[in-house]
Amino acid sequence: MNDRIARAALTRLFEPGDRVGRALVGRLGAYAALRLATGAQPAHAVPEATVEEISEALKRWAPRVPDLDPEKDLATMERLGGGFLIPGDERWPEGLDDLPDAPYGLWYRGNIDNGIPAPSKCVALTGSRDSTSYGASVTGDMAYGLAQRGICVISGLAYGIDAHAHRAALAGSKGEGAATLAVLAGGLDRDYPSGNADLAAAIRGNGLTLSELPPGSAPTRYRFLQRNRIIAALAGVTCVVEARWRSGALNTAHHAETIARHVAAVPGSVHSVICVLSTVLR
């Protein structure tokens, strides 16, 4: 088993924020970590995790072990017109290396020939799912203008601000490079939300849909929050257009701040209860 196959298996075995799993990979490498986590070799402590912590983690991972079939996952993505990137690949987005908890690999569907632009060529636009007409208008103007200038728009395919950003970027594209990329919180064999499936297909025309989760993985609230760090790392600037106080969009902005990315906000209408409070971005 090579490193690519081992990492593909780890994307199914470990949740993105699993601290013990990350400790094993960091200390032992992907292949040896997979063997330990699946019981193929005896468990032992590492400096970053005690025997007790690893024992508890083994119980947590055990129900997933029978479902591990990385070769099948890789074949599924190939059939869907995609693949799997790992660190060191020519097309691996180096912006992800700035994350303290970078993905073990990145599943993709779409036009990989256009690649994933460097953070300096990407802007993340995100915000509320129940956006106002004002927010939609501002998002559309920004995304269209960015695409016209050859800047790739990153977002999460959600309803509201995300969808407006993707659509406007596609409309503004000059056909040179990826106009927009969508980072999903579940497997790429199912576009989520399903109401944006046509939009996802359009994005894949010259860009990509991306996920750190293998095919068949269901999106969950936790996975949405973890997904946001990838959006932040891929972009040099994260701009929140409209967001509630506890929204995932603000979570994306905080991830961006953590890795020293630029953060911006568009003041919402003073009549809107979902306007961004700029103080949370200080």
Side-chain angles (χ1 to χ4, degrees):
M1 179 182 292
N2 60 31
D3 189 56
R4 187 176 308 276
I5 294 174
R7 286 176 176 273
L10 291 177
T11 65
R12 187 172 297 281
L13 185 61
F14 297 156
E15 283 294 317
D18 193 313
R19 185 189 66 80
V20 177
R22 191 161 299 281
L24 292 178
V25 175
R27 175 62 58 175
L28 306 175
Y31 176 64
L34 178 64
R35 285 181 53 81
L36 189 153
T38 57
Q41 71 178 48
H44 58 83
V46 295
E48 299 82 1
T50 66
V51 171
E52 291 76 15
E53 288 174 323
I54 292 176
S55 177
E56 286 300 313
L58 288 171
K59 295 175 185 177
R60 184 169 67 247
W61 300 328
R64 298 185 178 189
V65 172
D67 296 327
L68 295 182
D69 193 345
E71 290 91 346
K72 180 181 178 181
D73 289 336
L74 291 165
T76 295
M77 288 309 304
E78 184 177 0
R79 186 174 67 252
L80 292 171
F84 183 61
L85 299 173
I86 63 172
D89 283 349
E90 180 182 358
R91 298 189 184 278
W92 175 257
E94 294 182 359
L96 296 183
D97 296 335
D98 293 333
L99 290 169
D101 52 353
Y104 303 117
L106 196 63
W107 300 90
Y108 70 86
R109 282 182 70 185
N111 191 344
I112 191 62
D113 290 339
N114 282 336
I116 301 173
S120 61
K121 294 292 185 179
C122 295
V123 170
L125 293 179
T126 188
S128 177
R129 286 174 171 78
D130 54 342
S131 57
T132 66
S133 58
Y134 169 79
S137 175
V138 171
T139 300
D141 288 344
M142 287 196 296
Y144 184 90
L146 288 167
Q148 285 276 291
R149 292 166 175 78
I151 303 298
C152 181
V153 173
I154 312 287
S155 203
L157 198 67
Y159 295 130
I161 296 298
D162 289 19
H164 291 303
H166 290 306
R167 290 193 179 97
L170 290 171
S173 173
K174 293 185 175 180
E176 301 173 0
T180 183
L181 306 175
V183 185
L184 277 62
L188 299 180
D189 54 325
R190 181 178 60 152
D191 297 320
Y192 184 90
S194 59
N196 280 342
D198 289 345
L199 176 58
I203 290 169
R204 290 191 287 266
N206 81 336
L208 299 163
T209 51
L210 304 164
S211 179
E212 65 182 317
L213 295 158
S217 300
T220 65
R221 175 172 173 75
Y222 175 77
R223 289 172 174 175
F224 275 112
L225 293 174
Q226 290 295 310
R227 177 276 307 271
N228 292 340
R229 80 192 197 286
I230 297 177
I231 293 176
L234 291 176
V237 178
T238 291
C239 180
V240 180
V241 181
E242 287 182 319
R244 294 185 185 276
W245 177 258
R246 296 175 61 84
S247 78
L250 293 183
N251 173 259
T252 305
H254 290 309
H255 280 300
E257 280 194 316
T258 299
I259 57 173
R261 295 289 198 269
H262 296 292
V263 177
V266 176
S269 166
V270 295
H271 303 295
S272 171
V273 296
I274 59 174
C275 65
V276 170
L277 300 180
S278 61
T279 54
V280 303
L281 299 178
R282 290 178 181 172

